[in-house]
Structures are given as C-alpha cells and as structure tokens.
Amino acid sequence: MLLMSQTAICVLAGGRSTRMGAAKATLRAPDGSRWIDTICGWSRDLEIDRVWIATDRPDEIGRIPDGCDVLPDAYPDRGPASGLLAALRASRSDVLLLSCDQPKLRPGLLGTLLTAASGRAETNIVFSSVGPGGAFEPLPGVYRFANLDIIEGKLSERSCSLYSILKD
C-alpha cells in the first residue's frame, strides 16, 4: 500500500524548452507567479516532505521554491524519464511525477492520484488521463519504485520516453 509519507514528488523542469521559447521553470501564470512555485506549493500542502525538482539545467531554475531540492537528471539530455529515474533512485519509494509546464493541472488531482495509487498496490503506474485517440498521458502520474530496474535498463542504453515506459 502506498502511504503519502512514503512517497516523493518530483517536478520535471529540464529540457531544451524548444516549444516554450523560454526555460520551463521560468514560465508564469496570468497572475505573474511562476508555475513551478505554485506546483511545489501544492506538493507541500500534501505534507510530503521529499519534493525534488529534476533538471539537467539547474542554472535555469532561478530561485528554488521553499521546501524543494534540485535533483540532477540521472542521464543528461535523455528526457523526462531521466528525471524520473533520478527521483526513484534518490527516494527509494514511489514517486508522484509532475511537470512545471502543466497550466491545467489542479491541486485536487494530486491528492486524488495518491489516493488512487494507495488502493492499487498491484498497479505499476497510476496516471491521470487518457489523451486523444486513447493514448495514455504520462503526467501527472504515480510511478512505482518496483519499476526502477526496468527504467534504469531502458535509459542506460538510450534515451527513453515516458510513453515507452507506459507501453511496457
């Protein structure tokens, strides 16, 4: 069973940000606040004490949100799965994986995902939605520590997407 106190949160904030045109960690909501600060604040509201920002570009984050630590990607330039791997390694527990560039994310969903995961111990990944055409959306999602070796194997050989992890 998943206990919130035994779960870590990892906010992905790396990458080249080619779609955004600016570093993801600097994106701002209409009220001027940084999305990364808002998302990390929601994480603290869940009373989870291990909150990491995973990135291969720590200099682009600027001010680190209170209660968060920066976690280098396990393998630089290998995508979001590398941030997930770093969080699984560091936490030695299940990880609620988020991204700092999800403006439609709402705080209630985080608690709902954790509650759903706690009731489904046999499930490898608990994610929030299915996208167009029935494709699974990997973020946000709860990723099990039990999958560490599988993710490690995929990433040690090559870059791997979160979608490929969901398929396997």
Side-chain angles (χ1 to χ4, degrees):
M1 176 171 287
L2 178 81
L3 298 174
M4 286 191 202
S5 62
Q6 298 173 338
T7 303
I9 292 180
C10 179
V11 180
L12 299 172
R16 294 184 301 262
S17 300
T18 53
R19 288 179 296 128
M20 303 293 175
K24 292 175 195 163
T26 65
L27 294 175
R28 296 195 177 272
D31 68 1
S33 63
R34 292 189 316 168
W35 272 111
I36 197 166
D37 294 320
T38 300
I39 291 170
C40 288
W42 295 338
S43 301
R44 286 189 305 278
D45 292 345
L46 292 170
E47 298 181 11
I48 294 176
D49 59 356
R50 294 175 300 160
V51 181
W52 288 296
I53 298 170
T55 182
D56 55 353
R57 293 169 168 77
D59 54 313
E60 293 181 355
I61 295 174
R63 187 188 63 76
I64 307 300
D66 294 339
C68 296
D69 292 308
V70 174
L71 184 65
D73 284 354
Y75 296 96
D77 297 318
R78 292 205 190 171
S82 184
L84 169 60
L85 177 59
L88 289 169
R89 283 178 179 170
S91 70
R92 310 294 297 166
S93 69
D94 296 341
V95 171
L96 173 57
L97 190 66
L98 310 170
S99 178
C100 70
D101 62 351
Q102 292 184 286
K104 294 184 179 181
L105 185 65
R106 295 293 172 256
L109 178 61
L110 307 183
T112 299
L113 278 170
L114 291 168
T115 300
S118 70
R120 294 183 176 91
E122 74 288 349
T123 305
N124 286 329
I125 301 167
V126 177
F127 53 90
S128 64
S129 64
V130 176
F136 299 117
E137 293 294 330
L139 295 170
V142 177
Y143 290 77
R144 303 290 188 189
F145 176 71
N147 294 314
L148 175 84
D149 292 339
I150 294 167
I151 298 167
E152 177 86 58
K154 286 176 163 279
L155 273 167
S156 67
E157 296 174 12
R158 64 184 171 2
S159 183
C160 122
S161 71
L162 292 173
Y163 289 103
S164 71
I165 292 169
L166 288 176
K167 285 193 270 183
D168 293 343

